[in-house]
């Protein structure tokens, strides 16, 4: 493998699925690599190319990327789409000549990573969750390096731990800037600021349970509440009525652009345990009550919450047991004593990995490339039959 000289401008391709969970870390890495003087391109699907937050300097290339299911017709269509995407990625690499291709999971990342393997370009896969995703599981053995966000990652073959680098999940700069600030003062007389969000789409279960749970708190806490809650558009008026009926002041919205500012003032977070949420809570140091999404693939949100809970920075409640009474009980355990909440905040802060984007960029930057023109022409299609068979085998498992 040829290692490039540090400081020399290189080309990198980032490949990610079309959701925020896959793309936000890719955007953060793109910004850091661009800051270091490199050229970066994004490979994703049509949905990913339109997602808000993409840096203006980052060109997006949309490739076909079918999903692989057990239905024979769907499998055939999925394989055909992946193969078309792989061929398009090889043509992109021939002109762009990346030193490394970085995958962030999701089916849209698969064609680009398969093309990189065929062209013998170094590959790094980044796993945001505490359970290795399906596409990353398929790619892990052939990857040059595996970057993880957690010290323990389920569904990762132990034989591959030798190429694992724990870097964490990149966090937005405005959130990371809060890491050096103290936990907001919380005494027996101060306001008790609670922030509730359900991820990018909101969560109806939070709208149904949280207002009634907060209303069950003892007067010492309930009378000091100041609530900010993100709701789904169809839920917001019903939630507004519930808070009004309980005489609890609450600011509601379907989306808050200034989330970093709101997080800065928060004493307690209530919400899902997606990878980006956990990364931001631990970067800033905010205690939480987490309600993992029960339909998350491989139950990865429950596993995401495990480290923060074990450290004492959060409590987790399964959605099946997430009732107003249980929520009120857990809030009291954390917040009746101001020091208990402050200690949980410190425990959450200790779980943070604030250098994630820098460490990931260092890892990616450490890999060089080989002259691609001849490799693609000579090697590009030789892997076709074995790759097709491997894809079919993976989808059947």
């Amino acid at each position: 493998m040829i290692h490039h000289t540090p400081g020399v401008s290189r080309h990198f391709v980032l490949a990610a699925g079309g959701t925020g969970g896959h793309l936000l870390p890719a955007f953060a890495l793109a910004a850091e690599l661009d800051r270091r003087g490199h050229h970066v391109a994004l490979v994703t699907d049509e949905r990913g190319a339109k997602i808000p937050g993409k840096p203006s300097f980052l060109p997006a290339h949309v490739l076909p990327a079918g999903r692989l299911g057990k239905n024979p017709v769907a499998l055939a269509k999925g394989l055909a789409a992946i193969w078309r995407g792989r061929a398009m990625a090889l043509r992109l690499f021939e002109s762009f000549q990346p030193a490394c291709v970085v995958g962030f999971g999701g089916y849209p990342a698969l064609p680009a990573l398969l093309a990189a393997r065929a062209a013998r370009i170094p590959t790094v896969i980044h796993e945001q969750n505490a359970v290795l995703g399906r596409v990353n599981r398929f790619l892990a053995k052939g990857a040059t390096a595996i970057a993880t966000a957690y010290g323990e990652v389920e569904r990762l073959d132990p034989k591959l731990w030798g190429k694992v680098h724990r870097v964490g999940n990149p966090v937005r700069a405005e959130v990371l800037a809060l890491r050096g600030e103290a936990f907001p003062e919380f005494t027996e007389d101060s306001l008790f600021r609670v922030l509730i969000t359900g991820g990018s789409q909101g969560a109806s279960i939070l709208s149904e349970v949280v207002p009634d749970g907060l209303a069950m708190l003892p007067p010492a806490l309930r009378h000091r509440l100041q609530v900010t809650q993100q709701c789904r558009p169809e839920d917001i008026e019903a939630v507004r009525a519930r808070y009004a009926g309980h005489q609890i002041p609450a600011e509601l919205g379907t989306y808050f652009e200034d989330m970093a500012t709101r997080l800065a003032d928060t004493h307690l977070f209530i919400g899902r345990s997606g990878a980006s949420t956990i990364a931001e809570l631990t970067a800033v140091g905010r205690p939480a009550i987490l309600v993992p999404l029960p339909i998350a693939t491989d139950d990865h949100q429950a596993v995401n919450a495990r480290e923060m809970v074990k450290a004492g920075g959060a409590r987790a409640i399964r959605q099946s047991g997430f009732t107003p009474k249980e929520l009120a009980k857990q809030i009291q355990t954390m917040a009746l004593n101001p020091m208990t909440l402050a200690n949980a905040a410190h425990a959450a802060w200790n779980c943070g990995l604030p250098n994630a984007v820098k460490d990931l960029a260092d890892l990616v930057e450490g890999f060089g490339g080989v002259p691609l023109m001849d490799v693609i022409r000579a090697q590009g299609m030789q892997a076709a039959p074995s790759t097709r068979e491997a894809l079919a085998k993976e989808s059947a498992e």
Side-chain angles (χ1 to χ4, degrees), residues 141-265:
K141 185 176 180 180
T144 313
I146 302 168
T148 68
Y150 294 87
E152 297 180 23
V153 181
E154 295 187 0
R155 306 295 296 270
L156 174 60
D157 187 341
K159 291 182 288 189
L160 302 180
W161 274 104
K163 56 183 176 183
V164 169
H165 304 258
R166 188 185 182 189
V167 300
N169 272 321
V171 172
R172 292 175 293 171
E174 59 268 30
V175 172
L176 194 58
L178 302 173
R179 185 166 174 83
E181 297 185 9
F183 182 63
E185 185 180 20
F186 183 65
T187 68
E188 294 179 355
D189 302 316
S190 64
L191 288 172
F192 179 28
R193 298 188 183 91
V194 180
L195 174 64
I196 305 107
T197 75
S200 59
Q201 301 300 316
S204 290
I205 187 69
L206 299 177
S207 297
E208 296 166 9
V209 172
V210 174
D212 295 344
L214 294 176
M216 295 175 70
L217 292 173
L221 282 176
R222 182 164 56 86
H223 293 159
R224 295 154 49 202
L225 279 168
Q226 188 175 76
V227 176
T228 300
Q229 182 161 352
Q230 174 218 14
C231 308
R232 289 183 173 179
E234 62 268 28
D235 297 334
I236 194 165
E237 291 308 319
V239 176
R240 198 183 310 279
R242 286 193 182 193
Y243 278 120
H246 295 314
Q247 297 183 316
I248 295 174
E251 180 184 357
L252 309 179
T254 57
Y255 178 76
F256 296 112
E257 290 188 4
D258 57 343
M259 190 59 77
T261 302
R262 295 173 187 277
L263 197 57
D265 295 332

Side-chain angles (χ1 to χ4, degrees), residues 283-303:
V284 178
R286 292 296 180 269
I289 292 176
L290 302 170
V291 187
L293 179 67
I295 60 171
T297 306
D298 296 318
D299 200 24
H300 68 254
Q301 286 207 3
V303 187

